[in-house]
Amino acid sequence: MSKILVIAEHLDGKLNSSTARAVSAASAVKPEAINVLVLAEAADAIASEAAKIDGVSKVLTVARAENAHALAAIYAPQIAKAAAGYSHVFIPSTTFGKDIAPRVAALLGVSQVSDIMTVEGPHSFKRPIYAGNAIVTVEVDAGSTVVATVRTASWPAAASSGAAPIEALSLDVALPSHTRFVNLQQGKSDRPDLQSAAKVVSGGRGVGSKENFEIIYKFADKIGAAVGASRAAVDAGYVPNEMQVGQTGKIIAPELYMAIGISGAIQHLTGIKDAGTIVAINKDGEAPIFEIADIGLVGDLFKILPELEAQLG
Ligand code: FAD
C-alpha cells in the first residue's frame, strides 16, 4: 500500500492553497495514509491549517531556525530523511516545489516525476509536455520512491473539514552551510494572488504601455480580480515578470479569465488551459485567442473596457 508525504508550501506563517491541491492529487493514488510535512521556524499555525485538509491523516512538523526561509538546500536533506517509510513524496509544482523536488529526488537516488495532472495508478501519471500540446504517461519503477511535483492547476484544493493530529518530528540530519538566506524581494499588492484567484484579468502587448495598464488594474479592482499579463507585456516593461501567465510564467486555473489585448499564442494558452470561462477582448477578429474564448468581444479595448465597467455600475 502507498503512503504519501506531502510537503507543505507556506509563506509569512500561512499555508498556501497549493498544499491542499497536492493533497487532492495524493488522494487520487488511494493511499493508506497521507501525511503533510511542515518545515518552518514556527510551525504551529501552519500545521493547524494543514491538519484541517480533508484526507490528511497526520501533520508532521520540524520547527527550527534554519527553516525560517524555504531554501531548497536546507529543506531537501530534511525531506529526504523524513521520506523514509513513504512510497511517495508530493510537492506542489510551484516555484517552491520546482526548486526543492529535484534535490529531494537526487538525495533519494530516484528520477523526479514533474507536473502530474492525472493519476493513472500508484506508479503511473500523466503530465503535459511541449507547452501542453501533448500529454505523456510516465511510469515509475514499482520499487522506487515516487518524488513528484503536482500541477496545481489540474487539481482542486481538498476541502477543509478535517482534524488530523499534529506531531513534532525530530530529524537527525546535518544541514549544509554553503547556502544562506540573504533577502526576499517580492512585489507587494493588495490584489488577490494571481495563482489562486477565482478571477484574473490579463493585459497583453495591445495595452500599449505601462501607463495604459492602469485601465487593466482599474477593471480588475472593480470585479475583485488578480492581474496577469502576457510575456510580451512583461518584456516590454509594462508590468513585472511575476505577473506573467503562460508556459514560462504562472499556470493558473481561475473560474474567469479575461485576456485583453492578448493574441493567444500557444505559450500563453498553456497557462490558462484549466481556466473556467475565458473572455477575450481583441481588435483583431482573427486573433487565435478567439478560438478558445467562451466569450469574444472584437473591438478596441480602450472603448470596450470602460463600457463594461460602466455596466457594472
Ligand atoms: P501580441 O501577440 O503582439 O498580441 C497583441 C494583441 O493585442 C494582438 O492580437 C492585437 O490585435 C491586440 N490589440 C492591439 N491593440 C489593441 C486594442 N487597442 N484593443 C484590443 N486589442 C488590441 N507568452 C506568454 O504570454 N507567456 C509565456 O509564458 C510565454 N512563454 C514563452 C516561451 C517561449 C519558449 C517562447 C518562444 C515564447 C513564449 N511566450 C510566452 C511568447 C508568446 O509566443 C507570444 O509572443 C506572446 O504571448 C504574445 O503576447 P501578446 O499576445 O500580448 O502580444
Side-chain angles (χ1 to χ4, degrees), residues 203-207 229-233 244-250 260-269 281-284 287-288 299-302:
R205 202 196 317 255
V207 177
S230 70
R231 176 155 157 186
Q244 184 178 317
V245 172
Q247 183 188 343
T248 43
K250 304 225 158 79
I260 300 171
I262 292 177
S263 60
I266 184 70
Q267 296 89 355
H268 186 80
L269 301 186
I281 302 177
N282 197 302
K283 67 179 182 187
D284 173 9
D300 186 343
L301 71 94
F302 297 102

PDB file of all heavy atoms in Angstrom, residues 203-207 229-233 244-250 260-269 281-284 287-288 299-302, ligand 1:
ATOM      1  N   GLY A 203      -3.547  41.614 -19.256  1.00  0.00           N
ATOM      2  CA  GLY A 203      -3.331  42.519 -20.382  1.00  0.00           C
ATOM      3  C   GLY A 203      -2.128  42.060 -21.198  1.00  0.00           C
ATOM      4  O   GLY A 203      -1.198  41.464 -20.669  1.00  0.00           O
ATOM      5  N   GLY A 204      -2.169  42.374 -22.488  1.00  0.00           N
ATOM      6  CA  GLY A 204      -1.064  41.997 -23.368  1.00  0.00           C
ATOM      7  C   GLY A 204      -0.419  43.195 -24.024  1.00  0.00           C
ATOM      8  O   GLY A 204      -0.627  44.335 -23.588  1.00  0.00           O
ATOM      9  N   ARG A 205       0.331  42.934 -25.092  1.00  0.00           N
ATOM     10  CA  ARG A 205       1.029  43.989 -25.814  1.00  0.00           C
ATOM     11  C   ARG A 205       0.050  45.064 -26.327  1.00  0.00           C
ATOM     12  O   ARG A 205       0.387  46.232 -26.435  1.00  0.00           O
ATOM     13  CB  ARG A 205       1.805  43.392 -26.993  1.00  0.00           C
ATOM     14  CG  ARG A 205       2.934  44.290 -27.454  1.00  0.00           C
ATOM     15  CD  ARG A 205       3.480  43.925 -28.835  1.00  0.00           C
ATOM     16  NE  ARG A 205       3.659  42.517 -29.086  1.00  0.00           N
ATOM     17  CZ  ARG A 205       4.844  41.884 -29.108  1.00  0.00           C
ATOM     18  NH1 ARG A 205       5.949  42.550 -28.855  1.00  0.00           N
ATOM     19  NH2 ARG A 205       4.902  40.605 -29.402  1.00  0.00           N
ATOM     20  N   GLY A 206      -1.177  44.601 -26.604  1.00  0.00           N
ATOM     21  CA  GLY A 206      -2.191  45.518 -27.109  1.00  0.00           C
ATOM     22  C   GLY A 206      -2.512  46.661 -26.153  1.00  0.00           C
ATOM     23  O   GLY A 206      -3.055  47.689 -26.565  1.00  0.00           O
ATOM     24  N   VAL A 207      -2.179  46.497 -24.869  1.00  0.00           N
ATOM     25  CA  VAL A 207      -2.451  47.561 -23.895  1.00  0.00           C
ATOM     26  C   VAL A 207      -1.532  48.762 -24.181  1.00  0.00           C
ATOM     27  O   VAL A 207      -1.885  49.907 -23.897  1.00  0.00           O
ATOM     28  CB  VAL A 207      -2.304  47.028 -22.443  1.00  0.00           C
ATOM     29  CG1 VAL A 207      -2.513  48.119 -21.411  1.00  0.00           C
ATOM     30  CG2 VAL A 207      -3.286  45.883 -22.204  1.00  0.00           C
ATOM     31  N   ALA A 229      -0.556  39.026 -17.071  1.00  0.00           N
ATOM     32  CA  ALA A 229      -0.064  39.660 -18.299  1.00  0.00           C
ATOM     33  C   ALA A 229       0.524  38.610 -19.220  1.00  0.00           C
ATOM     34  O   ALA A 229       0.861  37.503 -18.789  1.00  0.00           O
ATOM     35  CB  ALA A 229       0.994  40.696 -17.958  1.00  0.00           C
ATOM     36  N   SER A 230       0.655  38.992 -20.492  1.00  0.00           N
ATOM     37  CA  SER A 230       1.356  38.111 -21.427  1.00  0.00           C
ATOM     38  C   SER A 230       2.856  38.390 -21.301  1.00  0.00           C
ATOM     39  O   SER A 230       3.272  39.394 -20.720  1.00  0.00           O
ATOM     40  CB  SER A 230       0.917  38.402 -22.858  1.00  0.00           C
ATOM     41  OG  SER A 230       1.424  39.674 -23.251  1.00  0.00           O
ATOM     42  N   ARG A 231       3.640  37.518 -21.881  1.00  0.00           N
ATOM     43  CA  ARG A 231       5.087  37.722 -21.830  1.00  0.00           C
ATOM     44  C   ARG A 231       5.492  38.975 -22.612  1.00  0.00           C
ATOM     45  O   ARG A 231       6.410  39.682 -22.210  1.00  0.00           O
ATOM     46  CB  ARG A 231       5.799  36.489 -22.392  1.00  0.00           C
ATOM     47  CG  ARG A 231       7.287  36.672 -22.452  1.00  0.00           C
ATOM     48  CD  ARG A 231       7.979  35.345 -22.407  1.00  0.00           C
ATOM     49  NE  ARG A 231       9.298  35.433 -22.988  1.00  0.00           N
ATOM     50  CZ  ARG A 231      10.080  34.394 -23.179  1.00  0.00           C
ATOM     51  NH1 ARG A 231       9.658  33.197 -22.852  1.00  0.00           N
ATOM     52  NH2 ARG A 231      11.265  34.531 -23.683  1.00  0.00           N
ATOM     53  N   ALA A 232       4.776  39.262 -23.708  1.00  0.00           N
ATOM     54  CA  ALA A 232       5.109  40.449 -24.486  1.00  0.00           C
ATOM     55  C   ALA A 232       4.934  41.698 -23.625  1.00  0.00           C
ATOM     56  O   ALA A 232       5.747  42.627 -23.692  1.00  0.00           O
ATOM     57  CB  ALA A 232       4.237  40.517 -25.734  1.00  0.00           C
ATOM     58  N   ALA A 233       3.893  41.728 -22.790  1.00  0.00           N
ATOM     59  CA  ALA A 233       3.660  42.882 -21.915  1.00  0.00           C
ATOM     60  C   ALA A 233       4.760  42.980 -20.856  1.00  0.00           C
ATOM     61  O   ALA A 233       5.201  44.070 -20.494  1.00  0.00           O
ATOM     62  CB  ALA A 233       2.287  42.772 -21.261  1.00  0.00           C
ATOM     63  N   GLN A 244       3.480  37.342 -15.172  1.00  0.00           N
ATOM     64  CA  GLN A 244       3.384  36.620 -16.460  1.00  0.00           C
ATOM     65  C   GLN A 244       2.614  35.305 -16.331  1.00  0.00           C
ATOM     66  O   GLN A 244       2.874  34.487 -15.458  1.00  0.00           O
ATOM     67  CB  GLN A 244       4.780  36.339 -17.012  1.00  0.00           C
ATOM     68  CG  GLN A 244       4.731  35.680 -18.382  1.00  0.00           C
ATOM     69  CD  GLN A 244       6.125  35.455 -18.941  1.00  0.00           C
ATOM     70  OE1 GLN A 244       6.981  36.321 -18.840  1.00  0.00           O
ATOM     71  NE2 GLN A 244       6.357  34.292 -19.505  1.00  0.00           N
ATOM     72  N   VAL A 245       1.684  35.131 -17.256  1.00  0.00           N
ATOM     73  CA  VAL A 245       0.889  33.895 -17.321  1.00  0.00           C
ATOM     74  C   VAL A 245       1.349  33.115 -18.543  1.00  0.00           C
ATOM     75  O   VAL A 245       1.522  33.684 -19.618  1.00  0.00           O
ATOM     76  CB  VAL A 245      -0.617  34.241 -17.456  1.00  0.00           C
ATOM     77  CG1 VAL A 245      -1.449  32.998 -17.719  1.00  0.00           C
ATOM     78  CG2 VAL A 245      -1.111  34.967 -16.213  1.00  0.00           C
ATOM     79  N   GLY A 246       1.560  31.818 -18.383  1.00  0.00           N
ATOM     80  CA  GLY A 246       1.921  31.008 -19.547  1.00  0.00           C
ATOM     81  C   GLY A 246       3.016  30.004 -19.267  1.00  0.00           C
ATOM     82  O   GLY A 246       3.371  29.767 -18.109  1.00  0.00           O
ATOM     83  N   GLN A 247       3.518  29.458 -20.333  1.00  0.00           N
ATOM     84  CA  GLN A 247       4.492  28.364 -20.268  1.00  0.00           C
ATOM     85  C   GLN A 247       5.680  28.708 -19.381  1.00  0.00           C
ATOM     86  O   GLN A 247       6.141  27.895 -18.597  1.00  0.00           O
ATOM     87  CB  GLN A 247       4.980  28.061 -21.683  1.00  0.00           C
ATOM     88  CG  GLN A 247       5.933  26.891 -21.769  1.00  0.00           C
ATOM     89  CD  GLN A 247       6.516  26.770 -23.179  1.00  0.00           C
ATOM     90  OE1 GLN A 247       5.997  27.345 -24.130  1.00  0.00           O
ATOM     91  NE2 GLN A 247       7.595  26.035 -23.299  1.00  0.00           N
ATOM     92  N   THR A 248       6.197  29.933 -19.536  1.00  0.00           N
ATOM     93  CA  THR A 248       7.353  30.330 -18.731  1.00  0.00           C
ATOM     94  C   THR A 248       6.933  31.298 -17.631  1.00  0.00           C
ATOM     95  O   THR A 248       7.772  31.982 -17.053  1.00  0.00           O
ATOM     96  CB  THR A 248       8.453  30.946 -19.634  1.00  0.00           C
ATOM     97  OG1 THR A 248       7.829  31.827 -20.574  1.00  0.00           O
ATOM     98  CG2 THR A 248       9.212  29.878 -20.390  1.00  0.00           C
ATOM     99  N   GLY A 249       5.633  31.352 -17.359  1.00  0.00           N
ATOM    100  CA  GLY A 249       5.123  32.188 -16.274  1.00  0.00           C
ATOM    101  C   GLY A 249       4.297  31.333 -15.341  1.00  0.00           C
ATOM    102  O   GLY A 249       4.670  30.209 -15.031  1.00  0.00           O
ATOM    103  N   LYS A 250       3.155  31.849 -14.912  1.00  0.00           N
ATOM    104  CA  LYS A 250       2.309  31.093 -13.976  1.00  0.00           C
ATOM    105  C   LYS A 250       1.270  30.285 -14.738  1.00  0.00           C
ATOM    106  O   LYS A 250       0.688  30.730 -15.716  1.00  0.00           O
ATOM    107  CB  LYS A 250       1.614  32.056 -13.019  1.00  0.00           C
ATOM    108  CG  LYS A 250       2.620  32.939 -12.266  1.00  0.00           C
ATOM    109  CD  LYS A 250       2.309  33.025 -10.797  1.00  0.00           C
ATOM    110  CE  LYS A 250       3.512  33.413  -9.959  1.00  0.00           C
ATOM    111  NZ  LYS A 250       3.828  34.823  -9.960  1.00  0.00           N
ATOM    112  N   ILE A 260      -7.021  40.511 -22.419  1.00  0.00           N
ATOM    113  CA  ILE A 260      -7.298  41.808 -23.034  1.00  0.00           C
ATOM    114  C   ILE A 260      -6.082  42.291 -23.830  1.00  0.00           C
ATOM    115  O   ILE A 260      -4.999  42.473 -23.250  1.00  0.00           O
ATOM    116  CB  ILE A 260      -7.701  42.817 -21.937  1.00  0.00           C
ATOM    117  CG1 ILE A 260      -8.956  42.263 -21.244  1.00  0.00           C
ATOM    118  CG2 ILE A 260      -7.948  44.198 -22.528  1.00  0.00           C
ATOM    119  CD1 ILE A 260      -9.385  42.982 -20.035  1.00  0.00           C
ATOM    120  N   GLY A 261      -6.265  42.419 -25.135  1.00  0.00           N
ATOM    121  CA  GLY A 261      -5.132  42.814 -25.988  1.00  0.00           C
ATOM    122  C   GLY A 261      -4.055  41.748 -26.022  1.00  0.00           C
ATOM    123  O   GLY A 261      -2.874  42.041 -26.089  1.00  0.00           O
ATOM    124  N   ILE A 262      -4.497  40.485 -25.952  1.00  0.00           N
ATOM    125  CA  ILE A 262      -3.590  39.318 -25.982  1.00  0.00           C
ATOM    126  C   ILE A 262      -3.972  38.477 -27.205  1.00  0.00           C
ATOM    127  O   ILE A 262      -5.151  38.151 -27.386  1.00  0.00           O
ATOM    128  CB  ILE A 262      -3.725  38.483 -24.679  1.00  0.00           C
ATOM    129  CG1 ILE A 262      -3.181  39.287 -23.480  1.00  0.00           C
ATOM    130  CG2 ILE A 262      -3.009  37.132 -24.804  1.00  0.00           C
ATOM    131  CD1 ILE A 262      -3.316  38.596 -22.138  1.00  0.00           C
ATOM    132  N   SER A 263      -2.972  38.116 -28.032  1.00  0.00           N
ATOM    133  CA  SER A 263      -3.289  37.439 -29.298  1.00  0.00           C
ATOM    134  C   SER A 263      -3.693  35.975 -29.110  1.00  0.00           C
ATOM    135  O   SER A 263      -4.476  35.432 -29.876  1.00  0.00           O
ATOM    136  CB  SER A 263      -2.095  37.537 -30.258  1.00  0.00           C
ATOM    137  OG  SER A 263      -0.967  36.920 -29.678  1.00  0.00           O
ATOM    138  N   GLY A 264      -3.116  35.321 -28.069  1.00  0.00           N
ATOM    139  CA  GLY A 264      -3.457  33.915 -27.837  1.00  0.00           C
ATOM    140  C   GLY A 264      -2.406  32.956 -28.365  1.00  0.00           C
ATOM    141  O   GLY A 264      -2.733  31.874 -28.883  1.00  0.00           O
ATOM    142  N   ALA A 265      -1.128  33.332 -28.200  1.00  0.00           N
ATOM    143  CA  ALA A 265      -0.030  32.427 -28.594  1.00  0.00           C
ATOM    144  C   ALA A 265      -0.108  31.164 -27.735  1.00  0.00           C
ATOM    145  O   ALA A 265      -0.547  31.218 -26.579  1.00  0.00           O
ATOM    146  CB  ALA A 265       1.320  33.121 -28.370  1.00  0.00           C
ATOM    147  N   ILE A 266       0.336  30.034 -28.303  1.00  0.00           N
ATOM    148  CA  ILE A 266       0.237  28.751 -27.614  1.00  0.00           C
ATOM    149  C   ILE A 266       0.926  28.790 -26.238  1.00  0.00           C
ATOM    150  O   ILE A 266       0.434  28.219 -25.271  1.00  0.00           O
ATOM    151  CB  ILE A 266       0.789  27.589 -28.505  1.00  0.00           C
ATOM    152  CG1 ILE A 266       0.600  26.230 -27.821  1.00  0.00           C
ATOM    153  CG2 ILE A 266       2.240  27.786 -28.906  1.00  0.00           C
ATOM    154  CD1 ILE A 266      -0.816  25.791 -27.735  1.00  0.00           C
ATOM    155  N   GLN A 267       2.040  29.540 -26.167  1.00  0.00           N
ATOM    156  CA  GLN A 267       2.762  29.606 -24.886  1.00  0.00           C
ATOM    157  C   GLN A 267       1.942  30.342 -23.822  1.00  0.00           C
ATOM    158  O   GLN A 267       2.122  30.108 -22.634  1.00  0.00           O
ATOM    159  CB  GLN A 267       4.123  30.304 -25.055  1.00  0.00           C
ATOM    160  CG  GLN A 267       5.103  29.580 -25.947  1.00  0.00           C
ATOM    161  CD  GLN A 267       4.971  29.966 -27.410  1.00  0.00           C
ATOM    162  OE1 GLN A 267       4.082  30.717 -27.796  1.00  0.00           O
ATOM    163  NE2 GLN A 267       5.876  29.442 -28.232  1.00  0.00           N
ATOM    164  N   HIS A 268       1.063  31.239 -24.260  1.00  0.00           N
ATOM    165  CA  HIS A 268       0.191  31.910 -23.289  1.00  0.00           C
ATOM    166  C   HIS A 268      -0.971  30.983 -22.905  1.00  0.00           C
ATOM    167  O   HIS A 268      -1.283  30.823 -21.727  1.00  0.00           O
ATOM    168  CB  HIS A 268      -0.348  33.229 -23.854  1.00  0.00           C
ATOM    169  CG  HIS A 268      -1.121  34.020 -22.839  1.00  0.00           C
ATOM    170  ND1 HIS A 268      -0.503  34.791 -21.872  1.00  0.00           N
ATOM    171  CD2 HIS A 268      -2.451  34.099 -22.577  1.00  0.00           C
ATOM    172  CE1 HIS A 268      -1.427  35.324 -21.089  1.00  0.00           C
ATOM    173  NE2 HIS A 268      -2.615  34.918 -21.484  1.00  0.00           N
ATOM    174  N   LEU A 269      -1.542  30.330 -23.920  1.00  0.00           N
ATOM    175  CA  LEU A 269      -2.719  29.468 -23.680  1.00  0.00           C
ATOM    176  C   LEU A 269      -2.404  28.314 -22.739  1.00  0.00           C
ATOM    177  O   LEU A 269      -3.264  27.848 -21.986  1.00  0.00           O
ATOM    178  CB  LEU A 269      -3.262  28.936 -25.015  1.00  0.00           C
ATOM    179  CG  LEU A 269      -3.696  30.004 -26.029  1.00  0.00           C
ATOM    180  CD1 LEU A 269      -4.339  29.354 -27.242  1.00  0.00           C
ATOM    181  CD2 LEU A 269      -4.656  31.013 -25.399  1.00  0.00           C
ATOM    182  N   ILE A 281     -10.889  40.130 -25.318  1.00  0.00           N
ATOM    183  CA  ILE A 281     -11.173  41.412 -25.978  1.00  0.00           C
ATOM    184  C   ILE A 281      -9.985  41.686 -26.884  1.00  0.00           C
ATOM    185  O   ILE A 281      -8.842  41.761 -26.410  1.00  0.00           O
ATOM    186  CB  ILE A 281     -11.332  42.565 -24.962  1.00  0.00           C
ATOM    187  CG1 ILE A 281     -12.457  42.254 -23.960  1.00  0.00           C
ATOM    188  CG2 ILE A 281     -11.593  43.887 -25.692  1.00  0.00           C
ATOM    189  CD1 ILE A 281     -12.645  43.301 -22.873  1.00  0.00           C
ATOM    190  N   ASN A 282     -10.243  41.779 -28.192  1.00  0.00           N
ATOM    191  CA  ASN A 282      -9.154  41.991 -29.140  1.00  0.00           C
ATOM    192  C   ASN A 282      -9.712  42.684 -30.378  1.00  0.00           C
ATOM    193  O   ASN A 282     -10.812  42.359 -30.825  1.00  0.00           O
ATOM    194  CB  ASN A 282      -8.534  40.633 -29.519  1.00  0.00           C
ATOM    195  CG  ASN A 282      -7.160  40.792 -30.147  1.00  0.00           C
ATOM    196  OD1 ASN A 282      -7.006  41.469 -31.159  1.00  0.00           O
ATOM    197  ND2 ASN A 282      -6.166  40.167 -29.538  1.00  0.00           N
ATOM    198  N   LYS A 283      -8.947  43.613 -30.910  1.00  0.00           N
ATOM    199  CA  LYS A 283      -9.490  44.353 -32.067  1.00  0.00           C
ATOM    200  C   LYS A 283      -9.367  43.562 -33.362  1.00  0.00           C
ATOM    201  O   LYS A 283      -9.989  43.916 -34.363  1.00  0.00           O
ATOM    202  CB  LYS A 283      -8.831  45.730 -32.191  1.00  0.00           C
ATOM    203  CG  LYS A 283      -7.361  45.719 -32.545  1.00  0.00           C
ATOM    204  CD  LYS A 283      -6.854  47.152 -32.652  1.00  0.00           C
ATOM    205  CE  LYS A 283      -5.394  47.150 -33.058  1.00  0.00           C
ATOM    206  NZ  LYS A 283      -4.794  48.470 -33.019  1.00  0.00           N
ATOM    207  N   ASP A 284      -8.577  42.464 -33.308  1.00  0.00           N
ATOM    208  CA  ASP A 284      -8.403  41.623 -34.498  1.00  0.00           C
ATOM    209  C   ASP A 284      -9.319  40.398 -34.385  1.00  0.00           C
ATOM    210  O   ASP A 284      -9.055  39.488 -33.581  1.00  0.00           O
ATOM    211  CB  ASP A 284      -6.917  41.204 -34.587  1.00  0.00           C
ATOM    212  CG  ASP A 284      -6.660  40.200 -35.697  1.00  0.00           C
ATOM    213  OD1 ASP A 284      -7.582  39.955 -36.503  1.00  0.00           O
ATOM    214  OD2 ASP A 284      -5.537  39.656 -35.743  1.00  0.00           O
ATOM    215  N   ALA A 287      -7.742  36.915 -34.328  1.00  0.00           N
ATOM    216  CA  ALA A 287      -6.745  36.551 -33.302  1.00  0.00           C
ATOM    217  C   ALA A 287      -7.029  35.142 -32.775  1.00  0.00           C
ATOM    218  O   ALA A 287      -8.195  34.799 -32.509  1.00  0.00           O
ATOM    219  CB  ALA A 287      -6.762  37.574 -32.167  1.00  0.00           C
ATOM    220  N   PRO A 288      -5.978  34.324 -32.609  1.00  0.00           N
ATOM    221  CA  PRO A 288      -6.194  32.928 -32.157  1.00  0.00           C
ATOM    222  C   PRO A 288      -6.875  32.803 -30.800  1.00  0.00           C
ATOM    223  O   PRO A 288      -7.489  31.770 -30.519  1.00  0.00           O
ATOM    224  CB  PRO A 288      -4.771  32.337 -32.118  1.00  0.00           C
ATOM    225  CG  PRO A 288      -3.833  33.409 -32.526  1.00  0.00           C
ATOM    226  CD  PRO A 288      -4.590  34.615 -32.956  1.00  0.00           C
ATOM    227  N   GLY A 299     -12.993  44.370 -30.780  1.00  0.00           N
ATOM    228  CA  GLY A 299     -13.027  45.832 -30.749  1.00  0.00           C
ATOM    229  C   GLY A 299     -11.857  46.382 -29.959  1.00  0.00           C
ATOM    230  O   GLY A 299     -11.010  45.630 -29.459  1.00  0.00           O
ATOM    231  N   ASP A 300     -11.839  47.704 -29.862  1.00  0.00           N
ATOM    232  CA  ASP A 300     -10.746  48.397 -29.176  1.00  0.00           C
ATOM    233  C   ASP A 300     -10.942  48.296 -27.655  1.00  0.00           C
ATOM    234  O   ASP A 300     -11.985  48.694 -27.127  1.00  0.00           O
ATOM    235  CB  ASP A 300     -10.762  49.869 -29.625  1.00  0.00           C
ATOM    236  CG  ASP A 300      -9.570  50.638 -29.086  1.00  0.00           C
ATOM    237  OD1 ASP A 300      -8.911  50.161 -28.136  1.00  0.00           O
ATOM    238  OD2 ASP A 300      -9.289  51.713 -29.631  1.00  0.00           O
ATOM    239  N   LEU A 301      -9.926  47.765 -26.997  1.00  0.00           N
ATOM    240  CA  LEU A 301     -10.033  47.555 -25.546  1.00  0.00           C
ATOM    241  C   LEU A 301     -10.275  48.865 -24.813  1.00  0.00           C
ATOM    242  O   LEU A 301     -10.926  48.888 -23.768  1.00  0.00           O
ATOM    243  CB  LEU A 301      -8.798  46.822 -25.018  1.00  0.00           C
ATOM    244  CG  LEU A 301      -7.449  47.552 -24.944  1.00  0.00           C
ATOM    245  CD1 LEU A 301      -7.192  48.160 -23.587  1.00  0.00           C
ATOM    246  CD2 LEU A 301      -6.327  46.572 -25.260  1.00  0.00           C
ATOM    247  N   PHE A 302      -9.745  49.967 -25.347  1.00  0.00           N
ATOM    248  CA  PHE A 302      -9.881  51.256 -24.652  1.00  0.00           C
ATOM    249  C   PHE A 302     -11.317  51.793 -24.749  1.00  0.00           C
ATOM    250  O   PHE A 302     -11.680  52.710 -24.045  1.00  0.00           O
ATOM    251  CB  PHE A 302      -8.882  52.269 -25.222  1.00  0.00           C
ATOM    252  CG  PHE A 302      -7.460  51.830 -24.994  1.00  0.00           C
ATOM    253  CD1 PHE A 302      -6.709  51.265 -26.021  1.00  0.00           C
ATOM    254  CD2 PHE A 302      -6.892  51.929 -23.727  1.00  0.00           C
ATOM    255  CE1 PHE A 302      -5.414  50.828 -25.792  1.00  0.00           C
ATOM    256  CE2 PHE A 302      -5.594  51.494 -23.492  1.00  0.00           C
ATOM    257  CZ  PHE A 302      -4.853  50.942 -24.529  1.00  0.00           C
TER     258      PHE A 302
HETATM  259  P1  FAD B   1       0.873  40.067 -29.436  1.00  0.00           P
HETATM  260  O1  FAD B   1       0.996  38.697 -29.991  1.00  0.00           O
HETATM  261  O2  FAD B   1       1.646  41.163 -30.067  1.00  0.00           O
HETATM  262  O3  FAD B   1      -0.675  40.411 -29.439  1.00  0.00           O
HETATM  263  C1  FAD B   1      -1.197  41.668 -29.106  1.00  0.00           C
HETATM  264  C2  FAD B   1      -2.684  41.613 -29.405  1.00  0.00           C
HETATM  265  O4  FAD B   1      -3.286  42.818 -28.984  1.00  0.00           O
HETATM  266  C3  FAD B   1      -2.980  41.456 -30.899  1.00  0.00           C
HETATM  267  O5  FAD B   1      -3.817  40.317 -31.104  1.00  0.00           O
HETATM  268  C4  FAD B   1      -3.723  42.739 -31.253  1.00  0.00           C
HETATM  269  O6  FAD B   1      -4.760  42.527 -32.209  1.00  0.00           O
HETATM  270  C5  FAD B   1      -4.289  43.153 -29.921  1.00  0.00           C
HETATM  271  N1  FAD B   1      -4.501  44.599 -29.792  1.00  0.00           N
HETATM  272  C6  FAD B   1      -3.645  45.615 -30.082  1.00  0.00           C
HETATM  273  N2  FAD B   1      -4.198  46.799 -29.777  1.00  0.00           N
HETATM  274  C7  FAD B   1      -5.442  46.533 -29.298  1.00  0.00           C
HETATM  275  C8  FAD B   1      -6.500  47.358 -28.812  1.00  0.00           C
HETATM  276  N3  FAD B   1      -6.385  48.684 -28.763  1.00  0.00           N
HETATM  277  N4  FAD B   1      -7.647  46.750 -28.411  1.00  0.00           N
HETATM  278  C9  FAD B   1      -7.781  45.403 -28.468  1.00  0.00           C
HETATM  279  N5  FAD B   1      -6.809  44.574 -28.904  1.00  0.00           N
HETATM  280  C10 FAD B   1      -5.659  45.149 -29.315  1.00  0.00           C
HETATM  281  N6  FAD B   1       3.954  34.296 -23.837  1.00  0.00           N
HETATM  282  C11 FAD B   1       3.189  34.386 -22.732  1.00  0.00           C
HETATM  283  O7  FAD B   1       2.206  35.145 -22.701  1.00  0.00           O
HETATM  284  N7  FAD B   1       3.511  33.649 -21.625  1.00  0.00           N
HETATM  285  C12 FAD B   1       4.563  32.795 -21.590  1.00  0.00           C
HETATM  286  O8  FAD B   1       4.789  32.182 -20.533  1.00  0.00           O
HETATM  287  C13 FAD B   1       5.357  32.663 -22.749  1.00  0.00           C
HETATM  288  N8  FAD B   1       6.404  31.811 -22.784  1.00  0.00           N
HETATM  289  C14 FAD B   1       7.107  31.662 -23.948  1.00  0.00           C
HETATM  290  C15 FAD B   1       8.117  30.694 -24.014  1.00  0.00           C
HETATM  291  C16 FAD B   1       8.818  30.513 -25.187  1.00  0.00           C
HETATM  292  C17 FAD B   1       9.882  29.456 -25.235  1.00  0.00           C
HETATM  293  C18 FAD B   1       8.525  31.312 -26.320  1.00  0.00           C
HETATM  294  C19 FAD B   1       9.258  31.129 -27.592  1.00  0.00           C
HETATM  295  C20 FAD B   1       7.547  32.275 -26.259  1.00  0.00           C
HETATM  296  C21 FAD B   1       6.828  32.470 -25.074  1.00  0.00           C
HETATM  297  N9  FAD B   1       5.812  33.426 -24.996  1.00  0.00           N
HETATM  298  C22 FAD B   1       5.037  33.470 -23.875  1.00  0.00           C
HETATM  299  C23 FAD B   1       5.605  34.438 -26.040  1.00  0.00           C
HETATM  300  C24 FAD B   1       4.466  34.133 -26.984  1.00  0.00           C
HETATM  301  O9  FAD B   1       4.929  33.348 -28.063  1.00  0.00           O
HETATM  302  C25 FAD B   1       3.882  35.456 -27.555  1.00  0.00           C
HETATM  303  O10 FAD B   1       4.908  36.190 -28.184  1.00  0.00           O
HETATM  304  C26 FAD B   1       3.211  36.353 -26.525  1.00  0.00           C
HETATM  305  O11 FAD B   1       2.300  35.599 -25.752  1.00  0.00           O
HETATM  306  C27 FAD B   1       2.485  37.482 -27.227  1.00  0.00           C
HETATM  307  O12 FAD B   1       1.940  38.354 -26.289  1.00  0.00           O
HETATM  308  P2  FAD B   1       0.692  39.259 -26.663  1.00  0.00           P
HETATM  309  O13 FAD B   1      -0.441  38.382 -27.061  1.00  0.00           O
HETATM  310  O14 FAD B   1       0.493  40.229 -25.554  1.00  0.00           O
HETATM  311  O15 FAD B   1       1.262  40.100 -27.902  1.00  0.00           O
END
